[in-house]
Amino acid sequence: MSDLFDIAVIGGGIMGCAAALQMTSGGMKPVVLDQGDLGQGASGVNAGTLSLQIKRVKLMPYALKGHHEWERMGEAVGFHKSGGYTLAFTEREANLLHERQRLKAEAGAPIRFVSTSELRSAEPNLTGKVLAASYCPEDGYANSSLTGQYFRGRLRAEEIPYRERSPVTEISRSESVFHLSTPLGEISAKRLLLATGAWLKPVAALLDVDLPVRARINTVSVTERMPKLTSTVIGHATGLLTMKQKTNGTVLIGGGWQGRGTPQEGRGEVTAATVMPNLALAQYALPKLAKARVLRSWTGFEANVPDFYPLAGALPGVPDAFVLGCVRGGYTIGPYIGKLMGDFILGREPELPLFDPGRDFNEETI
């Protein structure tokens, strides 16, 4: 007979692993399951940007806490606090920048506006066509490709069992115990946490729950190694550009430009129609990128619901089941909201409020 776990965490990304670690600290016995390798979904294929300037105002308290979690992880995840600038090239963009960053600063982010001369002094390779810019000293990045390695090590250290390449194909329940069918055998658990990111909808459907989850197909590109071009994270007022130069000289370029595909089909497809404008905007901001060759572009799925706030709480209609996902800025916020979810399942009062998955998605949440 298989072991009976206190909870089965379906999804071995940042949020699922952070929740499992928190529940273990409270005395629970979890098991973590992932259809692929730990941390290799959205947690491992994003650009690694940890910028407070691109977070939603009402999620700023979570982003600030999440940023501190990454700072504590440090070198193990390639954490760098480089500071970051967000740029505006037109009057419309400048107005947008001032409006958004003022609200984020009021929400607690240490964002200030800088003069173009100060920007030029700090980042001389940027274009001279910047009309306005903001700066946040807390901005930085981590190496998302280290996510799986890091959390695999943490799970092992806490003796939390995990199963990779183990998709859950069926869920049944008898005598208050969930039975999960996987290619590696059946898993039995008293509770469930669904933390499968863009795959939340089909996994919840195994429990006859219809979650209004959609997926974006974000594209990221990386250049060859270049001489030193920039030392900070560079963004754009519209949110359509994030750019940073890694210590090895490569430049990572993102900004949420969309590829094609669905999570159910596997990896998304990169399209020239969206990669080209992304690279053009990066080159406009940093003209010396014109000499760089792009080595690779790839996609990663980002889940969301209609109001673009997280799902974090009890799964509607299924006792002892919980859901965590759809967090905009999930790479930054993930380690922290995973801890909050762990506390909630342990019966503790979370430090910050969670986000009821059974809410009316047409109404504003917190």
Side-chain angles (χ1 to χ4, degrees):
M1 182 176 178
S2 62
D3 290 338
L4 176 62
F5 295 95
D6 290 326
I7 188 165
V9 179
I10 307 176
I14 294 167
M15 289 180 253
C17 288
L21 288 163
Q22 187 72 356
M23 289 185 286
T24 297
S25 74
M28 289 185 71
K29 179 184 176 184
V31 60
V32 178
L33 309 172
D34 198 277
Q35 66 175 351
D37 294 328
L38 296 182
Q40 294 304 299
S43 298
V45 299
N46 66 84
T49 304
L50 299 170
S51 173
L52 298 175
Q53 298 189 71
I54 60 176
K55 300 300 180 287
R56 300 192 77 185
V57 172
K58 291 187 178 181
L59 291 180
M60 190 58 67
Y62 303 83
L64 288 164
K65 296 279 190 178
H67 193 280
H68 293 153
E69 292 292 324
W70 284 104
E71 190 167 9
R72 278 194 283 268
M73 296 181 215
E75 291 185 8
V77 291
F79 175 82
H80 289 270
K81 187 191 291 186
S82 61
Y85 292 94
T86 301
L87 315 177
F89 302 126
T90 67
E91 289 292 345
R92 184 188 70 83
E93 292 170 0
N95 291 335
L96 185 67
L97 180 72
H98 280 89
E99 178 185 352
R100 290 180 174 178
Q101 305 302 55
R102 177 181 57 80
L103 292 172
K104 293 172 185 178
E106 290 174 356
I111 297 171
R112 63 182 176 89
F113 296 100
V114 299
S115 66
T116 53
S117 60
E118 182 180 341
L119 174 67
R120 189 72 176 172
S121 176
E123 291 285 7
N125 290 318
L126 289 177
T127 177
K129 298 177 182 179
V130 177
L131 290 187
S134 60
Y135 177 71
C136 179
E138 291 295 308
D139 284 356
Y141 60 89
N143 185 343
S144 64
S145 65
L146 296 177
T147 302
Q149 176 180 315
Y150 173 80
F151 279 106
R152 191 179 292 111
R154 290 286 309 278
L155 295 181
R156 286 174 177 167
E158 298 298 328
E159 299 183 343
I160 300 173
Y162 61 87
R163 294 190 182 183
E164 298 177 290
R165 303 182 185 278
S166 189
V168 175
T169 56
E170 186 178 345
I171 302 174
S172 60
R173 194 175 193 185
S174 62
E175 297 179 354
S176 300
V177 174
F178 292 99
H179 304 283
L180 285 61
S181 298
T182 81
L184 300 180
E186 184 178 282
I187 293 288
S188 298
K190 301 173 186 177
R191 303 175 186 85
L192 290 181
L193 172 59
L194 312 187
T196 54
W199 287 266
L200 274 174
K201 190 175 185 70
V203 174
L206 297 176
L207 293 164
D208 296 321
V209 176
D210 183 18
L211 293 177
V213 175
R214 306 169 296 196
R216 288 169 54 83
I217 312 98
N218 296 330
T219 303
V220 181
S221 300
V222 63
T223 73
E224 64 184 331
R225 298 185 181 190
M226 298 288 292
K228 191 67 175 178
L229 298 179
T230 177
S231 59
T232 59
V233 174
I234 304 298
H236 186 249
T238 62
L240 292 175
L241 175 68
T242 63
M243 179 168 54
K244 67 196 75 68
Q245 188 167 25
K246 306 297 283 290
T247 54
N248 66 359
T250 61
V251 180
L252 274 175
I253 301 167
W257 294 77
Q258 297 297 287
R260 283 196 297 255
T262 67
Q264 290 70 39
E265 294 170 337
R267 294 289 185 190
E269 179 184 351
V270 175
T271 67
T274 54
V275 169
M276 295 297 286
N278 190 196
L279 299 178
L281 182 56
Q283 184 180 322
Y284 186 85
L286 193 60
K288 288 186 178 181
L289 279 178
K291 299 179 180 179
R293 291 180 297 178
V294 174
L295 297 182
R296 186 165 68 95
S297 298
W298 64 94
T299 61
F301 293 110
E302 178 188 56
N304 61 74
V305 291
D307 64 5
F308 290 96
Y309 284 100
L311 297 177
L315 185 68
V318 185
D320 299 320
F322 307 86
V323 60
L324 175 60
C326 298
V327 181
R328 295 295 299 273
Y331 187 71
T332 302
I333 297 172
Y336 178 67
I337 202 167
K339 290 180 70 173
L340 294 182
M341 193 73 222
D343 283 337
F344 179 74
I345 295 171
L346 286 166
R348 301 169 177 169
E349 182 68 26
E351 182 181 34
L352 288 176
L354 291 176
F355 299 80
D356 182 10
R359 65 184 180 269
D360 182 350
F361 289 96
N362 295 315
E363 295 181 358
E364 184 82 359
T365 184
I366 66 170

